[in-house]
Amino acid sequence: MKFAIVVFPGSNCDHDAYHAAKHVLGQDAEFVWHKETTLGGADVVVLPGGFSHGDYLRTGAIARFSPVMEAVQAFAAGGGPVLGICNGFQILLEAGLLPGAMLRNADLTFHCEHVNVRVEAADTPFTSLCREGQVLSLPIAHGEGNYFAEPDVLRALDEQRCVIFRYATAAGEVTPAANPNGSARNVAGICNERRNVVGLMPHPERACERALGSADGLLLFESVVASLRAAGAVSVPVGR
């Protein structure tokens, strides 16, 4: 299986995502520069975290116009699994691949810490090995992770079970105190209606080895490998 790690000017978690896919999972992985117009035959696309060019305007607002985004749009439209992490999530929102927008964190401060997120749906390619209600420990590092959407959009997300992760306590309780950035309804990650495009603010690629304090993020990468293998979409080597 080949992972395409899209690199925008300012990406700083591209190597973390590459390491998780290539060295932890043992899958093929390649960087794809944002000016490319193809994804090189990738089976999975990852838009990593970082600070893409133009973020001083609004996060992801300029990056969404990068040439590679047309290929990402086509890949997603064909059902290919796409994962947007932090800035990658923000770019997916700006590109219209996911609904909503990001605001400055409610307390106007940058947060860099481990948080708990509760798995709300296990029927996406990136959560297929998770249990609904399972609590994952993942790091965040953002100043604009305050998810916002109009009430009718939030209602539709819940009705269609498109909220995939919510900020929660270690016991899985969704409380205001467990919400690090003021996100609406404690939303930490969502998917599209087709469920193949997933975006989240926490960084699973930074939590793929116990030496990093948590290996919970590996579940997302293992899930997409398992999902594609089960679908018979690709020949997936045993990674580890």
Side-chain angles (χ1 to χ4, degrees):
M1 177 189 297
K2 179 186 287 186
F3 283 73
I5 314 297
V6 179
V7 181
F8 299 91
S11 294
N12 61 24
C13 299
D14 43 351
H15 283 269
D16 301 83
Y18 180 92
H19 174 74
K22 181 78 172 183
H23 302 300
V24 181
L25 272 179
Q27 304 300 321
D28 191 10
E30 289 187 2
F31 294 117
V32 177
W33 183 235
H34 78 117
K35 288 192 174 181
E36 297 291 338
T37 56
T38 69
L39 295 167
D43 303 297
V44 182
V45 173
V46 178
L47 274 60
F51 300 91
S52 60
H53 61 301
D55 272 2
Y56 58 86
L57 176 64
R58 191 177 66 239
T59 50
I62 300 299
R64 62 156 294 195
F65 292 107
S66 289
V68 74
M69 288 306 297
E70 285 193 22
V72 173
Q73 293 265 13
F75 182 79
V82 177
L83 179 65
I85 301 169
C86 195
N87 198 196
F89 182 16
Q90 294 161 338
I91 294 170
L92 290 177
L93 296 174
E94 290 291 335
L97 284 166
L98 291 173
M102 287 295 174
L103 306 178
R104 292 286 303 278
N105 293 346
D107 60 5
L108 303 182
T109 62
F110 189 94
H111 283 252
C112 184
E113 59 188 313
H114 266 261
V115 298
N116 298 300
V117 296
R118 188 177 74 186
V119 178
E120 301 291 87
D123 58 349
T124 80
F126 297 100
T127 54
S128 62
L129 296 182
C130 299
R131 289 179 288 101
E132 293 186 9
Q134 183 175 3
V135 177
L136 308 180
S137 176
L138 301 174
I140 59 170
H142 59 247
E144 297 183 38
N146 181 357
Y147 181 77
F148 171 84
E150 296 291 343
D152 60 329
V153 175
L154 291 171
R155 186 166 49 251
L157 285 171
D158 279 331
E159 290 174 353
Q160 296 162 1
R161 299 180 64 256
C162 288
V163 176
I164 305 303
F165 302 107
R166 291 188 202 274
Y167 298 109
T169 67
E173 298 168 326
V174 175
T175 68
N179 188 345
N181 49 37
S183 288
R185 301 188 183 185
N186 282 48
V187 169
I190 61 175
C191 71
N192 61 349
E193 290 184 39
R194 193 170 177 175
R195 313 193 80 73
N196 62 307
V197 179
V198 170
L200 76 165
M201 286 310 294
H203 287 264
E205 81 286 6
R206 293 184 180 177
C208 286
E209 296 167 285
R210 295 191 184 280
L212 299 175
S214 171
D216 289 352
L218 188 57
L219 272 173
L220 277 72
F221 291 89
E222 290 179 327
S223 288
V224 72
V225 171
S227 293
L228 291 182
R229 180 188 289 138
V234 293
S235 175
V236 184
V238 176
R240 55 189 193 104

